[in-house]
Amino acid sequence: MSGLPIGRDRVLVLEKRGHFSQSAALLVPVISIICALFGGSLFLLATGYDPVEIYVTMLSGAFGSAYGLSETVVKAIPLMLCGLAVSVAFRMQLWNIGAEGQLYMGAVAASWVALFHGEGSRLGVLALMFLAAAAAGGIWGLIPAIPRALFKVNETITTLMLNYVAILYSNYLVYGPWKDPKGMNFPLSAVFPEHATLPYFGDTRIHLGLVFGLIAAVMLYIILWHTRWGYEIRVIGESPVAARYAGMNIARNILLVMALSGGLAGLAGMAEVSGITQRLQPNLSPGYGYTAIIVAWLGRLNPFAITGVSFLLAGLLVGGYNMQMSGLPAATVSILQGAILFFILGGEILTKYHLRIRDARGIEVAE
Amino acid sequence: MKDPLIVVLLSTAVIAGTPLLFAALGEILSERAGVLNLGVEGMMLVGAVSGYIATVQSGNHWVGVIAALGAGGMMAAIHAFLSVTLRANQVVSGLALTIFGTGLSAFLGKGYIGRPVPDVFKPVEIPVLSRIPYAGKILFEHDSLVYLSFLLVIMIWIIVFKTRWGLNLRAVGENPAAADSMGIPVYLTRYLCVISGGMLAGLGGAYLSLAYAPTWVENMTSGRGWIAVALVIFAVWHPGKAIVGAYIFGGVDSLGFHIQAMGDKALFLKDVSPFFLQMLPYILTIIVLIIVTSETKKRRVGTPASLGLPYDREER
């Protein structure tokens, strides 16, 4: 009998559950976050910080004031779009970790429209920016999808490499040809004309991108559970062999899903330049494309859950900015993010297995 | 006497390729045992910062090397626990390790940015060998870690392909159920390989902060961990081919620097924006990956059969 010995004649064993546990599926993400925060507090204690004070600062920073709350919503927008983007690829076991680069390419394309084709009605310009960003992100997602579909080239590495290329390209533009001549030599593009900026809700910085994200979630839900295409995506993800027997075209689906995934991430880029910075500039994203992986996994790849989770992780980001003011490095947020993902992954085994205590003869003592 | 340009280029290719080589060798061990670890970037970063801090504190670069080995090993142990014991998704676990390591290294290194390394690894000429025309300059006028990497390539090649232990290791990566029934401890083997792989990634990171740069900058690996993962595929999981790949990538990595240093002599290349030159290693990685994958697919060789799949004894 294998298992972890705990005391005399007692072992802890993992047993496969007969079916997937719904309650465990709901509990695991919640417990994971609590465990990660607890683990984080030990780390903070060890490095000489007061965890209670830090967490209170974070919480009140992110959710404690109208301004904090609105900033949390602002940060949730790109996380939502990128989280949805990677989730649809993950569902097909396509590890698109290139949302960061797809976001940048979307931002570049939207900026191109705003800076050089910004004449016309606000609706027209914004629509054009929207389409350009979705197309650029989609193409950036397609580039690694083509070799993946044809030769099974590892998309994890290719999508990640393209992040660096996209960021370098965007930097090339703002340090070079697109640099604002009136910008005191700062690496910034010119400010967009007003009709190339997304409208705000009231006097907050929350912009129309929020609606893009919510619509994208609904759209993705409909695609996944109410269309033939979505059915194929789910079957291919769960069993490529079965999908092939059923005559599904896997290569075509890889291309379509990666284009959709990249397109959504591209929209996040448009939302950032058009809604927040209103110009192209370096360091547009503090790693939204990577945090999106955590958002997608925490939301168990479910579009609505992802929408909710993106607010939580946005709160962590905003709280992180507050934390910096009390002297803690910004990197603490990444540590907490990584820890949350560790605990979710570790906890997932409980959705598939029971934890049981057995005695030496293998008879069950307790669950 | 001034060395010909090609010798200088190849010599810097070796130096720039060495961190990639360490990390790729580590990943080969891990993947040969069936565990995909995409946390190389994070392990390298934590190795780089730990090696740097330990060297600054102790004044001895070998203390730094040991710290980097330990830090990389500990990071990998998290991945081993999640993916081997808890059978978690290896792709996501590796990504988590990278996110975690990026944060942890920046956190730890905060107070050290810009501090000088008191004990940098300096080149040591190997007697006799460094006298060989061209090859001596290219291969045998480096720091001791480069020579250590030569030894490791040979050692890992022997262990993996010429020993009983290596046979067991490969069996665990190909068919863990069969290995288990032959009495090979699958979980133990996987733990050992993942952890030693992490130690090597940590060493690769320390090479950057103690010999290549030598300093600590946040995110200083800038994708090298991922390039190392790609190198493993390029090398078809073979240490001997990894060394070739590492130097090719090292060469491209340092090409941009050389072109800028050459000024007008670089002809048309001097007008290329440095941003585009910096893209080269990433674009090369993609192109090489496409070529190698389509080729190996034709020859039906490569990937350990159980790579990325958790092993559950009860399902045997």
Side-chain angles (χ1 to χ4, degrees):
Chain A
M1 187 86 233
S2 64
L4 190 70
I6 42 162
R8 202 162 59 91
D9 293 345
R10 294 277 191 279
V11 286
L12 198 62
V13 294
L14 286 166
E15 276 184 358
K16 199 126 197 161
R17 281 181 196 265
H19 57 92
F20 178 79
S21 162
Q22 285 295 339
S23 57
L26 272 175
L27 273 173
V28 164
V30 178
I31 296 172
S32 301
I33 294 181
I34 295 170
C35 286
L37 289 177
F38 181 72
S41 68
L42 294 182
F43 178 78
L44 289 171
L45 271 178
T47 45
Y49 293 95
D50 177 3
V52 177
E53 188 197 312
I54 301 266
Y55 286 153
V56 169
T57 319
M58 277 181 68
L59 263 181
S60 64
F63 304 105
S65 64
Y67 175 75
L69 262 177
S70 76
E71 277 307 287
T72 299
V73 176
V74 165
K75 299 262 180 293
I77 295 168
L79 285 180
M80 194 183 298
L81 283 164
C82 292
L84 293 167
V86 299
S87 77
V88 61
F90 284 5
R91 211 167 250 292
M92 244 181 73
Q93 311 271 344
L94 285 172
W95 303 108
N96 175 18
I97 46 178
E100 187 79 356
Q102 291 144 16
L103 179 151
Y104 270 91
M105 291 317 273
V108 164
S111 304
W112 175 72
V113 172
L115 293 170
F116 303 108
H117 302 275
E119 317 83 20
S121 69
R122 188 172 197 181
L123 186 67
V125 172
L126 284 176
L128 206 57
M129 286 169 76
F130 183 98
L131 291 176
I139 290 170
W140 214 242
L142 264 178
I143 295 171
I146 294 166
R148 168 63 216 257
L150 292 179
F151 314 115
K152 291 200 169 171
V153 175
N154 187 316
E155 76 285 3
T156 329
I157 300 166
T158 50
T159 51
L160 191 107
M161 291 288 113
L162 285 173
N163 288 347
Y164 289 98
V165 177
I167 293 170
L168 283 167
Y169 180 60
S170 161
N171 282 347
Y172 158 75
L173 292 172
V174 289
Y175 279 92
W178 287 9
K179 185 156 70 179
D180 184 7
K182 292 180 288 257
M184 318 261 295
N185 218 18
F186 282 115
L188 305 164
S189 80
V191 177
F192 294 172
E194 185 167 352
H195 53 270
T197 60
L198 286 171
Y200 293 107
F201 291 102
D203 51 4
T204 65
R205 294 213 303 161
I206 303 171
H207 51 81
L208 197 66
L210 179 63
V211 180
F212 298 170
L214 297 175
I215 292 176
V218 175
M219 196 191 75
L220 219 55
Y221 170 79
I222 294 173
I223 290 179
L224 281 171
W225 279 281
H226 294 283
T227 66
R228 161 125 198 121
W229 182 31
Y231 174 72
E232 290 198 359
I233 293 174
R234 286 183 292 130
V235 172
I236 294 171
E238 271 155 40
S239 169
V241 180
R244 203 166 289 122
Y245 276 122
M248 294 176 186
N249 188 336
I250 295 181
R252 200 190 60 160
N253 274 301
I254 290 175
L255 299 179
L256 287 174
V257 163
M258 282 298 291
L260 173 65
S261 181
L264 286 170
L267 284 184
M270 181 241 175
E272 285 304 289
V273 286
S274 178
I276 301 296
T277 59
Q278 306 189 344
R279 64 190 342 155
L280 191 65
Q281 62 180 50
N283 303 320
L284 264 182
S285 152
Y288 290 130
Y290 301 110
T291 307
I293 298 164
I294 305 170
V295 172
W297 211 253
L298 251 180
R300 303 194 67 87
L301 310 186
N302 175 306
F304 296 124
I306 287 170
T307 312
V309 168
S310 60
F311 289 99
L312 271 181
L313 279 160
L316 188 63
L317 278 180
V318 175
Y321 289 115
N322 261 47
M323 228 161 47
Q324 273 173 273
M325 289 177 220
S326 47
L328 212 59
T332 319
V333 174
S334 303
I335 299 180
L336 283 174
Q337 287 180 348
I340 292 173
L341 199 45
F342 284 145
F343 281 104
I344 301 169
L345 283 164
E348 256 168 22
I349 195 167
L350 298 178
T351 61
K352 286 177 242 153
Y353 294 83
H354 286 289
L355 207 54
R356 289 185 197 279
I357 300 171
R358 287 174 176 262
D359 69 9
R361 285 159 296 153
I363 292 168
E364 187 175 320
V365 179
E367 190 173 329
Chain B
M1 189 193 84
K2 209 164 162 287
D3 293 301
L5 181 64
I6 183 75
V7 172
V8 177
L9 275 177
L10 291 175
S11 172
T12 46
V14 169
I15 297 181
T18 299
L20 298 172
L21 179 59
F22 281 128
L25 287 174
E27 186 68 10
I28 286 177
L29 275 181
S30 182
E31 292 193 12
R32 276 280 178 187
V35 182
L36 175 70
N37 188 349
L38 294 182
V40 184
E41 181 86 357
M43 299 189 294
M44 281 181 89
L45 279 169
V46 174
V49 81
S50 323
Y52 183 76
I53 293 173
T55 307
V56 169
Q57 295 291 356
S58 68
N60 182 332
H61 55 221
W62 290 108
V63 176
V65 166
I66 290 166
L69 288 168
M74 279 196 278
M75 290 282 288
I78 302 176
H79 182 68
F81 179 67
L82 285 171
S83 59
V84 179
T85 305
L86 296 183
R87 295 158 217 157
N89 182 312
Q90 294 180 11
V91 174
V92 185
S93 170
L95 292 174
L97 197 62
T98 288
I99 294 172
F100 183 76
T102 310
L104 184 62
S105 61
F107 185 96
L108 296 174
K110 192 99 198 324
Y112 290 87
I113 295 174
R115 285 226 224 155
V117 183
D119 191 13
V120 176
F121 276 94
K122 288 196 192 70
V124 185
E125 287 180 26
I126 294 195
V128 188
L129 288 178
S130 63
R131 293 276 173 218
I132 305 172
Y134 304 112
K137 175 82 186 174
I138 294 166
L139 291 172
F140 300 110
E141 284 187 16
H142 295 298
D143 53 84
S144 32
L145 287 180
V146 172
Y147 306 135
L148 177 66
S149 73
F150 296 165
L151 286 180
L152 277 170
V153 170
I154 299 168
M155 265 174 57
I156 291 174
W157 177 74
I158 293 175
I159 290 173
V160 172
F161 294 106
K162 301 289 166 193
T163 66
R164 176 91 212 160
W165 202 80
L167 187 66
N168 291 351
L169 183 170
R170 283 180 289 143
V172 166
E174 294 291 339
N175 189 341
D180 197 0
S181 60
M182 287 177 352
I184 302 169
V186 174
Y187 293 162
L188 180 69
T189 308
R190 287 193 164 174
Y191 262 90
L192 285 178
C193 288
V194 173
I195 291 174
S196 27
M199 291 168 77
L200 288 175
L203 181 58
Y207 189 81
L208 286 173
S209 63
L210 296 179
Y212 185 73
T215 180
W216 164 251
V217 185
E218 267 184 36
N219 277 323
M220 70 185 299
T221 49
S222 52
R224 286 188 180 84
W226 294 96
I227 295 181
V229 177
L231 260 179
V232 174
I233 300 172
F234 169 85
V236 213
W237 292 265
H238 197 294
K241 289 178 184 146
I243 193 169
V244 179
Y247 295 159
I248 295 175
F249 279 94
V252 174
D253 193 10
S254 52
L255 203 60
F257 170 78
H258 284 295
I259 289 173
Q260 278 177 297
M262 282 195 296
D264 281 344
K265 274 188 280 177
L267 305 173
F268 69 95
L269 283 174
K270 75 173 160 42
D271 296 324
V272 178
S273 157
F275 291 104
F276 288 111
L277 294 176
Q278 282 176 48
M279 288 178 192
L280 284 177
Y282 309 115
I283 293 173
L284 177 78
T285 305
I286 296 172
I287 294 172
V288 165
L289 211 54
I290 293 172
I291 296 172
V292 170
T293 312
S294 57
E295 280 300 307
T296 49
K297 205 184 161 200
K298 277 182 222 150
R299 285 186 280 128
R300 291 174 160 273
V301 286
T303 332
S306 296
L307 181 61
L309 304 174
Y311 174 59
D312 182 355
R313 274 200 101 155
E314 317 294 317
E315 280 184 6
R316 195 157 35 137

